[in-house]
């Protein structure tokens, strides 16, 4: 089947079934393993055990131990082997068990995977998709809660993708695996089983109660670099991604703010056209992400909005982010950009 045969709008109309993000990711991997013999799934505990979050459950049994296999506990080795596989024509999908553990593989990702196409004058490519759960909200403390996306967005040659719904997770992962460039695919683990409003003391609803969990069966892809308009509005634009899409939406609904929320989906490539059009329409911009504030991706977004929309802005660009500290276990909800801090930012940006 032609990779462009099914586009996002057609896929949305195909099915009303609802699944969670874990199941959507599992389906994407299963489909690509079946469609392309060059696709390989590898990582710590991804084989027999099916992954720490069960995203690869059943795949080894179905596709075999040479297609889905466990690796030693060596992130540098996992990524290094994947780069070599890609250079020889395979499409590896390595899993790093938590984004906090990806740092030993940085040299291979930055110095090798991201540079290979350029350095070889396109003779070799590194079509690997590195999957990794990221973000907080699960009391994982400083070693299981980090959001390092801005590190990778800074590197020329890498693409960075972050889904916020089961529908997007499946379509974006398929597109990432088919891409000829290395892709970092961060999965917000706080919303694996259901969206999160940020009101941590309220019951959590499963994905099956939400329309964003409608995932068509079979193959479809969502092109990288296309943002999603979550809600239409003219009071302000909110730029966000991952778990914070749902938190921002819940706060705006609670406060009665008609915000236009853009789910960026991919940080690189970035849908700057959608951002520019929205901010020029609303005249105000709030940026929300979990990662630490200094040099977080929100700083790049703020600079872009200021450069491109300065004469349309009616208030300074606001940011709500994590703090410049390690992620605290005991003060999880003070660090997490939740309803209180987002609400205060909304009041500030809308006060005039």
């Amino acid at each position: 089947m032609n990779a462009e045969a099914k586009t996002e709008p057609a896929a949305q109309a195909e099915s009303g079934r609802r699944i969670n993000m874990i199941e959507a990711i599992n389906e994407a991997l299963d489909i690509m393993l079946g469609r392309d013999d060059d696709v390989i799934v590898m990582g710590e505990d991804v084989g027999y055990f099916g992954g720490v979050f069960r995203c690869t459950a059943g795949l080894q049994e179905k596709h075999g131990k040479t297609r889905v296999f466990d690796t030693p506990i060596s992130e540098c080795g996992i990524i290094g082997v994947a780069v070599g596989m890609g250079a020889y024509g395979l499409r590896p999908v390595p899993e790093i068990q938590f984004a906090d553990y990806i740092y030993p593989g940085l040299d291979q990702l930055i110095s090798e995977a991201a540079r290979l196409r350029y350095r070889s004058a396109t003779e070799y490519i590194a079509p690997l998709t590195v999957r990794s759960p990221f973000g907080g909200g699960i009391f994982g403390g400083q070693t299981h809660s980090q959001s390092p996306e801005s590190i990778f967005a800074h590197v020329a040659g890498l693409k960075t993708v972050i889904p916020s719904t089961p529908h997007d997770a499946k379509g974006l992962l398929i597109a990432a695996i088919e891409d000829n460039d290395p892709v970092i695919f961060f999965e917000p683990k706080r919303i694996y089983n259901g969206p999160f409003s940020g009101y941590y003391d309220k019951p959590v609803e499963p994905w099956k109660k939400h329309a964003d969990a409608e995932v068509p069966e079979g193959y479809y892809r969502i092109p990288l670099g296309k943002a999603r308009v979550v809600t239409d509005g003219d009071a302000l634009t909110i730029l966000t991604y991952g778990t914070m899409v749902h938190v921002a939406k819940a706060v705006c609904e609670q406060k009665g703010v008609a915000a236009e929320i853009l789910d960026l989906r991919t940080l690189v490539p970035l849908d700057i056209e959608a951002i520019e059009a929205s901010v020029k329409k609303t005249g105000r911009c709030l940026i929300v992400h979990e990662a630490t504030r200094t040099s977080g991706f929100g700083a790049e977004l703020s600079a872009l909005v200021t450069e491109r929309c300065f004469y349309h802005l009616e208030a300074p660009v606001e940011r709500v982010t994590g703090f410049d500290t390690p992620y605290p276990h005991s003060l999880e909800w003070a660090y997490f950009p939740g309803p209180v801090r987002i609400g205060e930012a909304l009041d500030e940006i809308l006060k005039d």
Side-chain angles (χ1 to χ4, degrees):
M1 181 185 294
N2 187 312
E4 302 295 338
K6 285 187 180 180
T7 59
E8 184 183 358
Q12 286 179 326
E14 281 186 19
S15 172
R17 73 187 182 118
R18 297 183 181 186
I19 61 177
N20 64 33
M21 190 178 286
I22 293 171
E23 294 167 319
I25 290 166
N26 184 276
E27 282 193 6
L29 294 170
D30 184 27
I31 288 167
M32 293 309 296
L33 285 162
R35 284 171 61 93
D36 188 344
D37 291 340
D38 291 331
V39 173
I40 302 293
V41 174
M42 55 191 286
E44 299 162 16
D45 296 323
V46 303
Y48 176 80
F49 184 68
V52 66
F53 291 102
R54 313 301 292 160
C55 289
T56 57
L59 296 181
Q60 185 180 84
E61 182 179 5
K62 180 175 181 179
H63 297 282
K65 294 181 179 179
T66 61
R67 303 286 307 286
V68 182
F69 55 88
D70 295 326
T71 67
I73 303 175
S74 172
E75 288 74 22
C76 178
I78 292 169
I79 301 302
V81 168
V83 173
M85 285 180 167
Y88 275 90
L90 298 177
R91 290 187 177 273
V93 187
E95 176 185 301
I96 302 299
Q97 206 165 74
F98 288 88
D100 313 65
Y101 302 153
I102 203 169
Y103 304 117
L106 282 184
D107 182 51
Q108 294 297 319
L109 283 169
I110 295 172
S111 301
E112 306 300 334
R115 312 287 193 238
L116 188 59
R117 181 201 287 268
Y118 182 87
R119 189 167 65 229
S120 68
T122 73
E123 183 176 355
Y124 295 101
I125 58 175
L128 59 149
T129 300
V130 183
R131 292 183 42 252
S132 189
F134 92 127
I138 65 164
F139 286 100
Q142 62 180 334
T143 59
H144 294 79
S145 304
Q146 295 175 57
S147 299
E149 64 271 17
S150 64
I151 294 174
F152 302 98
H154 178 72
V155 179
L158 294 180
K159 295 180 178 178
T160 306
V161 180
I162 302 173
S164 68
T165 69
H167 176 270
D168 284 6
K170 181 177 177 179
L172 289 169
L173 182 53
I174 287 173
I177 295 171
E178 291 180 334
D179 200 287
N180 284 333
D181 288 318
V183 179
I184 310 300
F185 194 91
F186 282 133
E187 301 162 7
K189 55 184 175 288
R190 184 60 180 81
I191 57 173
Y192 267 147
N193 291 297
F196 181 52
S197 68
Y199 295 93
Y200 60 90
D201 53 348
K202 294 184 179 180
V204 177
E205 290 188 352
W207 272 117
K208 295 184 186 298
K209 293 186 177 182
H210 295 264
D212 288 335
E214 292 188 3
V215 179
E217 296 180 6
Y219 174 95
Y220 70 93
R221 69 199 304 272
I222 297 174
L224 305 186
K226 295 294 182 182
R228 176 175 70 101
V229 178
V230 180
T231 58
D232 290 313
D234 56 13
L236 80 158
T237 297
I238 298 180
L239 305 179
T240 188
Y241 48 89
T243 301
M244 304 314 300
V245 169
H246 307 283
V247 179
K249 181 180 178 182
V251 176
C252 288
E253 289 174 350
Q254 191 271 329
K255 293 180 68 69
V257 175
E260 182 154 291
I261 300 175
L262 284 188
D263 175 4
L264 299 181
R265 284 175 163 166
T266 63
L267 308 189
V268 179
L270 181 67
D271 192 350
I272 189 61
E273 291 81 9
I275 294 172
E276 190 172 352
S278 180
V279 175
K280 286 182 177 179
K281 181 180 79 170
T282 67
R284 302 171 193 269
C285 182
L286 172 64
I287 298 163
V288 185
H289 63 65
E290 284 187 64
T292 51
R293 185 178 183 87
T294 300
S295 298
F297 194 70
E300 176 67 17
L301 292 172
S302 179
L304 287 170
V305 169
T306 303
E307 289 168 0
R308 291 170 175 262
C309 307
F310 181 80
Y311 292 106
H312 296 267
L313 289 173
E314 299 176 19
V317 176
E318 293 281 340
R319 284 185 288 160
V320 179
T321 71
F323 297 121
D324 290 338
T325 69
Y327 208 113
H329 182 274
S330 61
L331 297 173
E332 172 107 35
W333 302 119
Y335 182 97
F336 192 89
V340 172
R341 290 205 282 136
I342 293 175
E344 290 173 348
L346 288 172
D347 292 340
E348 177 66 24
I349 202 170
L350 295 172
K351 67 181 180 180
D352 296 327

